[in-house]
Amino acid sequence: MVLLFDPAPPSLQWCKVHGGKLSGGTYEFGHQSDELVRDHIGGLEAVRTVGYVLHHGGEEIDRPVSLMTRDSLKSLERCMRFQPEYNEVTLKAAEFWMSRLPDVRHLLLCDTAYFAKLPPEASDYAVPGKLREDGIRRYGGFGLCHQWAWEHSELFLGHSVRRVISVYLGDHSNVAAIADGSPVDTTIGFTPVEGILSSGGCGDIDPTIVFELHSTGMSLREITRVLSRESGFTGLLGRECGFTDITPGWDEPAISAVREVLCHSLKKSIGAFLSVLGGVDAVVFLCEDPPQSMRLITALCHSLEFLGADRRPAPEKQGGVWNMVHDRSNVPILCLTYDKWKIIAEAAHNFTLKER
Amino acid sequence: MNILVFNCGSSSLIYKVFSAGSPEDVEEVFSAKASRVGVQGSVPSYIETRFGFTTWKRAAPMKNHRQAATLALKALGETGLHIDCVGHRFVHGGSHFHESVVLDAEVTRRLELCRPLAPIHNPNSFSVIGECRKALPDTPQFVAFDTAFHHSLPPEAYSYALPAKLVQRFGFRKYGFHGLSYQYITRTIPSYLHVPVEDLKIVACHLGTGGSSVAAIDGGRSLDTSMGYSPLPGLLMSTRCGDIDPMLAIYLMTTYGYRSDDVLDLFNKRSGLLGVSGYSSDIRDIIVRASEHEEKSALALTMYIQRVKKYIGSFVVLLGGMDVLAFTDDIGLHNPAVRQLVCEEMGWCGLVLDPAANARATGNAISSLSGETSRVRILSVPTDEELMICLEGIKLLGATIGTPV
């Protein structure tokens, strides 16, 4: 049995992988741990592996999956300056379960590590060297997901794919450029606020706005809250709004305006990465519910027609993958179903296989 | 009619007089540039002037743009040139102005509201307007805006995903800059190619020694541009960082104890090419050092080029293709190495540069740089903000002032 944890502050999401089946939920970390074991896991005897998702591994963690030891807990502590809310939950969970289950395998699954070796022109900001030496750089994110997307696009197409643009669509949409399996650019920056607007995050904005807000007396804590939680889809719409609210309300004007901003931002990122890669051999979309997102994906595919993307009027589902274009298309475009736990479980499983 | 045009830079003041019969018949009859205005240092401020067939340069103390304008108007008075109207470049018209306007009491009141939007440039323009009013009280004045060309941006391009109440209160939106330059080249490219502007998808790179930007122009209208609410975001510039995670500003204040002004100054004056290279803010110096394999300069150059290429890619997708890639302003016109690096490995969008034509282009006239197999016309296009302001003046006041000189 494999137990997996992903921080969702102040709670912790968990997933149990047993006999090829996945089940899970959310629990309040700490006082509900015993309840979790008793009611859901059904005893710890069968647990062989425990995995923890780390959202931001900073400069410390540069391997997507690694074995956890007492020493790696120390390097985890050094990541606390990045996304402290999330990272602290991961750290506490790891400390708790490592002492509870000292004899099983513990794995750290890091979402930024895939991007640890970005070329400097992608990772560096144009700020003075002293800050860049201090770890002020772009770290990327959703590494496990983009790596999975690249592997599965090769599986589906049946050959190696040199240049891939991987587009994750969801509450925190983001795009990665991958060359020969290694990422060469990402829309996510030092924090996940940079890049594509999210359900509550503003995405790319003029940084001058931060100074202007501060000069009106708004505290840094307030500005942080506004830019990371009250902006994005929610800010534009004026009410709580997630990705799953955007696609069904296709014709509602207020929602359609939000979708236009999202689409615009996605198109620009895809275009930027076409330049970074010098062209593209496959574009891969990932989302939880492809049929529901099909109109959005179709609109994005439409903007790639000038490249010779030969769009199918109705995307065809082939072996669990939606093929958005005809086989004769210059650019293959696929849509994969995103299942967070499946991706994490697969990464943990593959690591364990290699270890043997 | 004779049109006097003032173009206020952060530390310079350009002023020219054009004699215009019609928009097609414009001649520059006087031209001057005051440099190092308000700059303290070992080199004093000076004025270079060209009138008729004579050019001269002299040192003159100018503590600010007001003094520079006083000297300019005095020198112009001595030439005996009659001035029919005066035009001014105004960097930031905010959401108050969408096109050039003739100055009156109401316009002046609304211009005042724009003062804080460009804290370096706008106040300078104000002092020059004030001096003109004193010296030429009966001469009509007009204002042309660097933001006006981007008034056509669609909401999905100009909107920041911020709470609506903040946007309403502060006017946060993308304004874009270098509009007069884009407007000028959007006028010259179609006539050079003999193609109507309606049929052209242009990606234009305004690469200057200080600020730089890129614009996507569809049928003559701006569809998106790299600068934003202020001229800070977008490309990597001489001392400006360009695009950056906004949360970094907050992180630097909370973790490093910087004040807001320190970070603003850091991002605007100590970043960009200067910050990365630790050596120079001038791309020409950076290219030399990079060719000597100096690591930091090589990185600065790679980052500079990469950022331009990424914007070109973004705008090609927004436009759904590209007919023309245009380079303009000092670096865009006079630096073949930059153009060559930008066009490398861009075959995916149809760009093929002709290296010989690229090396030959002088920057004094519009030149075609594309190779035979290129699906996109690559052009270097001289820009002329003062002439553009003059043309705006003819449009606004030509009919009322009437007869040409």
Side-chain angles (χ1 to χ4, degrees), chain A residues 81 120-121 124-132 134 136 138 185 189-191 193-194 197 201-214 216 218 220 223-224 226-228 230-232 235-236 260-261 264 267-276 278-279 303-304 306-307, chain B residues 155-157 159-164 166 169-170 172 174 223-225 228-230 232-233 236 241 243-254 256 258 260 263-264 266-267 270-272 275-276 299 302-303 306-307 309-318 320-321 345-346 348:
Chain A
R81 65 173 173 142
E121 62 271 25
D124 284 22
Y125 291 111
V127 293
K130 185 187 149 301
L131 294 177
R132 289 182 291 127
D134 256 5
I136 301 241
R138 309 174 78 235
D185 214 335
F190 182 71
T191 73
V193 171
E194 188 183 358
L197 59 152
C202 59
D204 292 327
I205 59 163
D206 187 335
T208 305
I209 289 171
V210 173
F211 307 117
E212 199 131 316
L213 288 175
H214 193 53
T216 65
M218 210 185 253
L220 295 177
I223 301 173
T224 303
V226 167
L227 300 190
S228 58
E230 296 169 8
S231 296
L236 284 170
E260 287 300 317
V261 179
H264 189 85
K267 281 184 203 169
K268 282 173 77 168
S269 300
I270 294 171
F273 292 170
L274 281 166
S275 285
V276 169
S303 68
L304 294 176
F306 78 98
L307 283 179
Chain B
E156 63 271 22
S159 302
Y160 291 124
L162 295 167
L166 286 182
R169 184 166 154 214
F170 296 100
F172 293 142
K174 178 182 282 187
L223 200 66
D224 203 347
T225 183
Y229 172 72
S230 77
L232 175 59
L236 194 156
C241 59
D243 290 332
I244 198 163
D245 190 332
M247 300 305 277
L248 254 182
I250 297 170
Y251 183 80
L252 291 174
M253 287 188 251
T254 49
Y256 286 70
Y258 289 159
S260 185
V263 186
L264 182 70
L266 176 79
F267 284 179
R270 290 186 283 135
S271 293
V276 178
L299 176 60
T302 309
M303 287 172 74
Q306 179 91 331
R307 202 76 73 87
K309 292 176 74 157
K310 283 174 80 166
Y311 268 101
I312 294 173
S314 294
F315 291 169
V316 168
V317 170
L318 287 185
E345 289 179 51
M346 291 290 276
W348 67 270

Side-chain angles (χ1 to χ4, degrees), chain B residues 308-390:
Chain B
V308 178
K309 292 176 74 157
K310 283 174 80 166
Y311 268 101
I312 294 173
S314 294
F315 291 169
V316 168
V317 170
L318 287 185
L319 289 163
M322 161 170 66
D323 302 307
V324 177
L325 175 67
F327 291 95
T328 193
D329 209 33
D330 284 341
I331 303 303
L333 286 171
H334 302 296
N335 213 307
V338 166
R339 293 190 300 248
Q340 190 189 325
L341 290 168
V342 167
C343 292
E344 264 170 23
E345 289 179 51
M346 291 290 276
W348 67 270
C349 59
L351 282 181
V352 183
L353 189 77
D354 175 349
N358 183 45
R360 262 198 320 271
T362 62
N364 298 324
I366 190 162
S367 332
S368 178
L369 317 172
S370 29
E372 272 176 33
T373 53
S374 190
R375 282 180 281 124
V376 178
R377 289 299 293 266
I378 309 170
L379 303 175
S380 79
V381 189
T383 192
D384 194 334
E385 292 178 338
E386 294 81 33
L387 179 54
M388 194 64 234
I389 298 168
C390 162

Side-chain angles (χ1 to χ4, degrees), chain A residues 71-351:
Chain A
D71 281 346
S72 46
L73 275 179
K74 285 198 195 84
S75 54
L76 250 186
E77 277 166 26
R78 287 193 288 270
C79 304
M80 287 309 129
R81 65 173 173 142
F82 305 105
Q83 284 192 268
E85 270 183 288
Y86 283 81
N87 281 2
E88 271 163 24
V89 176
T90 302
L91 177 63
K92 278 190 197 149
E95 283 170 345
F96 177 87
W97 290 102
M98 280 173 87
S99 58
R100 188 85 182 255
L101 293 165
D103 300 325
V104 309
R105 188 190 299 108
H106 294 266
L107 299 179
L108 188 66
L109 299 122
C110 175
D111 241 354
T112 51
Y114 187 49
F115 296 97
K117 291 184 183 64
L118 277 182
E121 62 271 25
S123 65
D124 284 22
Y125 291 111
V127 293
K130 185 187 149 301
L131 294 177
R132 289 182 291 127
E133 282 154 22
D134 256 5
I136 301 241
R137 49 160 285 183
R138 309 174 78 235
Y139 285 98
F142 284 70
L144 296 164
C145 144
H146 290 298
Q147 191 174 1
W148 185 87
W150 168 70
E151 288 164 1
H152 283 255
S153 64
E154 291 209 330
L155 281 179
F156 177 80
L157 294 167
H159 54 79
S160 67
V161 187
R162 206 162 66 77
R163 301 165 300 181
V164 173
I165 295 177
S166 170
V167 186
Y168 169 76
L169 298 173
D171 280 346
H172 288 93
S173 299
N174 68 92
V175 188
I178 302 168
D180 299 315
S182 300
V184 290
D185 214 335
T186 164
T187 52
I188 299 180
F190 182 71
T191 73
V193 171
E194 188 183 358
I196 314 284
L197 59 152
S198 62
S199 58
C202 59
D204 292 327
I205 59 163
D206 187 335
T208 305
I209 289 171
V210 173
F211 307 117
E212 199 131 316
L213 288 175
H214 193 53
S215 73
T216 65
M218 210 185 253
S219 72
L220 295 177
R221 188 184 292 265
E222 273 177 279
I223 301 173
T224 303
R225 196 189 63 230
V226 167
L227 300 190
S228 58
R229 298 216 200 119
E230 296 169 8
S231 296
F233 311 155
T234 299
L236 284 170
L237 193 64
R239 62 169 196 263
E240 192 78 26
C241 179
F243 183 72
T244 47
D245 301 312
I246 287 187
T247 34
W250 194 264
D251 300 315
E252 188 190 320
I255 286 188
S256 148
V258 178
R259 197 184 51 245
E260 287 300 317
V261 179
L262 174 65
C263 242
H264 189 85
S265 175
L266 286 164
K267 281 184 203 169
K268 282 173 77 168
S269 300
I270 294 171
F273 292 170
L274 281 166
S275 285
V276 169
L277 294 165
V280 70
D281 301 305
V283 179
V284 186
F285 292 96
L286 281 130
C287 54
E288 269 182 29
D289 186 355
Q292 199 199 40
S293 309
M294 219 28 101
R295 284 175 83 173
L296 176 67
I297 298 170
T298 305
L300 293 168
C301 293
H302 183 68
S303 68
L304 294 176
E305 279 174 0
F306 78 98
L307 283 179
D310 193 357
R311 204 155 47 87
R312 282 176 198 268
E316 201 175 277
K317 196 176 178 188
Q318 303 166 340
V321 175
W322 273 262
N323 191 352
M324 304 297 298
V325 290
H326 291 289
D327 294 336
R328 59 174 182 266
S329 175
N330 283 349
V331 188
I333 305 180
L334 316 172
C335 179
L336 307 174
T337 309
Y338 173 81
D339 179 336
K340 179 176 81 175
W341 293 117
K342 213 175 108 187
I343 291 172
I344 297 170
E346 203 175 301
H349 181 72
N350 289 344
F351 179 84

Side-chain angles (χ1 to χ4, degrees), chain B residues 388-400:
Chain B
M388 194 64 234
I389 298 168
C390 162
L391 294 170
E392 289 291 286
I394 299 173
K395 204 166 73 186
L396 283 170
L397 290 159
T400 47

